[in-house]
């Protein structure tokens, strides 16, 4: 683990702020397309031609040309110019961060994550989890990870089946989006051939997208996520992980705004995950513990209160949760293990 310079931490905070502002100020100018006119019986009519997030072409009729629509076209051009300037600023910040040693995402995974972000999957309640989330947390905390099994192309997304706060337009056709990337993704069949796929993989490569969701009381195979037009694999303990997500930036060639789990909860959840792995997954178990240990080391030094809150939230879920975490603490440095154990009550 290596500390990033203060300059990088300042730039990263600005990058997240700018990406958040871009997301919040989405206007007609952010829609890639063009206004066209068609003459019908001597009158001009406006249409808007665009390609949606999954690559389908559309042409929407707006109406007969008049002063109001002319003003809309003018504002669209202005908004596009402003958006282009904002995106250039974001790209410069990301390039500067990479030069200062900020953690990066590999190019294929970054392309997938950026497409998911542009399609609105994170606005619709998805949270980036797994090793890509851990890598991104380094930039959040101002460190660069080393020796923690960082090389992966699994893009893991977790989301509740139903959003607590419903809002119109919060949906993404995940299978169509994946297909539109033209990267060779295919659905991965499950053990039960009659069950819907919860994963997409590029044949012959390690690039993969997995959709996960908290397990219901009695999980019976994949769980449908209607707003994603896809099914997710139900996992125990996942509700704790994604309950309080944070905004973060994926620092790649074209940065993206995503949601990540709270780092302290991510660390404790990694210990639970390690406890639940079978003996055949020793390497993954070791990676879970290493990532948990590195996160807790930084958090205890810089943000100990976060660990306290995460431990309290975990302990409130029952003795079984606490027992699983305590069973993994012997693999961590003694001072960290002792402090976490004390917070668990």
């Amino acid at each position: 683990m290596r500390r990033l310079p203060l300059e990088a931490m300042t730039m990263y905070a600005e990058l997240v702020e700018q990406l958040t502002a871009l997301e919040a100020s989405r206007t007609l100018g952010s829609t890639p397309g063009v206004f066209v006119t068609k003459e019908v019986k001597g009158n001009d009519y406006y249409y808007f031609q665009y390609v949606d997030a999954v690559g389908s072409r559309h042409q929407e009729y707006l109406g007969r040309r008049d002063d109001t629509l002319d003003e809309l076209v003018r504002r669209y051009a202005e908004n596009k110019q402003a958006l282009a300037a904002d995106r250039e600023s974001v790209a410069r910040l990301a390039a500067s961060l990479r030069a200062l040693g900020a953690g990066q995402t590999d190019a294929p995974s970054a392309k997938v994550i950026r497409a998911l972000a542009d399609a609105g999957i994170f606005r619709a309640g998805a949270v980036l989890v797994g090793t890509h989330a851990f890598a991104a947390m380094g930039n959040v905390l101002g460190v660069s990870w080393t020796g923690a099994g960082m090389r992966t192309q699994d893009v893991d997304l977790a989301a509740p089946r139903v959003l607590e706060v419903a809002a119109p337009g919060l949906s993404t056709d995940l299978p169509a989006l994946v297909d539109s990337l033209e990267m060779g993704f295919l659905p991965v069949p499950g053990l039960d051939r009659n069950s819907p796929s919860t994963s997409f993989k590029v044949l012959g490569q390690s690039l993969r997208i997995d959709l996960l969701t908290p397990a219901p009381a009695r999980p019976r195979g994949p769980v449908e996520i209607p707003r994603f037009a896809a099914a997710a694999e139900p996992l125990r303990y996942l509700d704790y992980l994604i309950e309080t997500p944070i905004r973060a930036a994926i620092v790649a060639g074209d940065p993206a705004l995503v949601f990540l789990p709270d780092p302290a909860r991510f660390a404790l959840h990694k210990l639970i995950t390690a406890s639940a792995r079978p003996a055949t997954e020793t390497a993954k178990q070791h990676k879970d513990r290493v990532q948990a240990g590195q996160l807790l080391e930084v958090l205890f030094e810089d943000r100990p209160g976060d660990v306290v809150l995460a431990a309290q939230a975990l302990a409130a879920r029952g003795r079984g949760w606490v027992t699983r975490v305590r069973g993994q603490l012997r693999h961590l440095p003694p001072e960290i293990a002792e402090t976490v154990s004390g917070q668990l009550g």
Side-chain angles (χ1 to χ4, degrees):
M1 181 184 68
R2 177 178 59 83
R3 291 280 182 177
L4 295 176
L6 179 60
E7 181 183 8
M9 296 175 65
T10 302
M11 283 185 178
Y12 180 79
E14 185 177 351
L15 176 62
V16 173
E17 183 178 324
Q18 288 194 18
L19 286 171
T20 301
L22 277 172
E23 184 71 21
S25 62
R26 281 177 175 264
T27 64
L28 187 62
S30 66
T31 303
V34 61
F35 285 95
V36 297
T37 58
K38 294 182 180 180
E39 184 177 339
V40 180
K41 295 182 179 180
N43 295 311
D44 288 335
Y45 294 85
Y46 268 122
Y47 292 79
F48 185 68
Q49 293 183 169
Y50 67 96
V51 177
D52 65 20
V54 298
S56 299
R57 295 184 180 276
H58 301 270
Q59 187 176 83
E60 301 290 344
Y61 170 72
L62 298 178
R64 183 175 176 176
R65 182 172 183 177
D66 58 17
D67 291 344
T68 299
L69 288 180
D70 282 342
E71 175 64 14
L72 178 66
V73 173
R74 186 190 65 78
R75 284 186 13 241
Y76 175 77
E78 291 178 351
N79 288 339
K80 283 189 74 84
Q81 291 178 354
L83 182 67
D86 290 341
R87 290 206 175 279
E88 286 180 9
S89 176
V90 163
R92 285 196 300 270
L93 276 173
S96 298
L97 278 165
R98 292 194 296 272
L100 290 170
Q104 301 181 45
T105 305
D106 65 276
S109 298
K111 178 180 178 180
V112 171
I113 295 170
R114 176 56 194 264
L116 292 167
D118 282 348
I121 200 165
F122 297 108
R123 294 196 306 277
V127 180
L128 185 66
V129 296
T131 297
H132 282 303
F134 174 72
M137 284 177 196
N139 294 330
V140 173
L141 299 174
V143 298
S144 177
W145 306 120
T146 57
M150 296 291 295
R151 301 182 69 177
T152 182
Q153 287 191 320
D154 288 354
V155 178
D156 297 323
L157 300 170
R161 183 181 182 277
V162 178
L163 290 175
E164 291 185 7
V165 179
L170 292 183
S171 62
T172 298
D173 188 331
L174 182 59
L177 172 62
V178 169
D179 186 59
S180 74
L181 291 171
E182 298 184 349
M183 297 173 70
F185 280 105
L186 293 173
V188 178
L191 295 177
D192 181 355
R193 296 283 175 162
N194 295 320
S195 295
S197 173
T198 63
S199 301
F200 304 87
K201 190 178 187 305
V202 178
L203 292 179
Q205 299 181 30
S206 59
L207 189 58
R208 179 183 179 116
I209 301 171
D210 292 314
L211 185 58
L212 314 169
T213 194
R218 296 180 180 178
R220 296 180 180 177
V223 175
E224 293 289 342
I225 310 290
R227 67 187 182 282
F228 295 155
E233 179 184 356
L235 293 181
R236 293 180 65 194
Y237 311 113
L238 197 61
D239 52 340
Y240 167 80
L241 178 65
I242 65 174
E243 191 174 53
T244 56
I246 63 171
R247 287 187 180 88
I250 297 299
V251 181
D254 197 2
L257 183 72
V258 302
F259 279 100
L260 304 179
D262 170 79
R265 289 198 182 208
F266 187 92
L268 298 183
H269 182 267
K270 278 293 179 183
L271 297 179
I272 291 178
T273 301
S275 75
R277 290 196 186 277
T280 55
E281 295 186 357
T282 302
K284 290 183 177 180
Q285 193 177 55
H286 174 70
K287 185 172 76 169
D288 289 337
R289 294 167 181 156
V290 170
Q291 291 184 359
Q294 288 204 349
L295 275 168
L296 289 170
E297 181 183 349
V298 176
L299 289 167
F300 273 124
E301 186 170 341
D302 297 346
R303 300 160 67 163
D306 291 4
V307 182
V308 172
L309 293 175
Q312 290 174 347
L314 186 144
R317 292 171 184 259
R319 298 305 304 173
W321 290 62
V322 173
T323 300
R324 284 191 174 277
V325 172
R326 283 210 167 112
Q328 297 297 311
L329 291 179
R330 68 182 185 277
H331 300 286
L332 301 183
E335 62 277 11
I336 292 179
E338 182 178 349
T339 305
V340 171
S341 181
Q343 296 298 335
L344 291 172

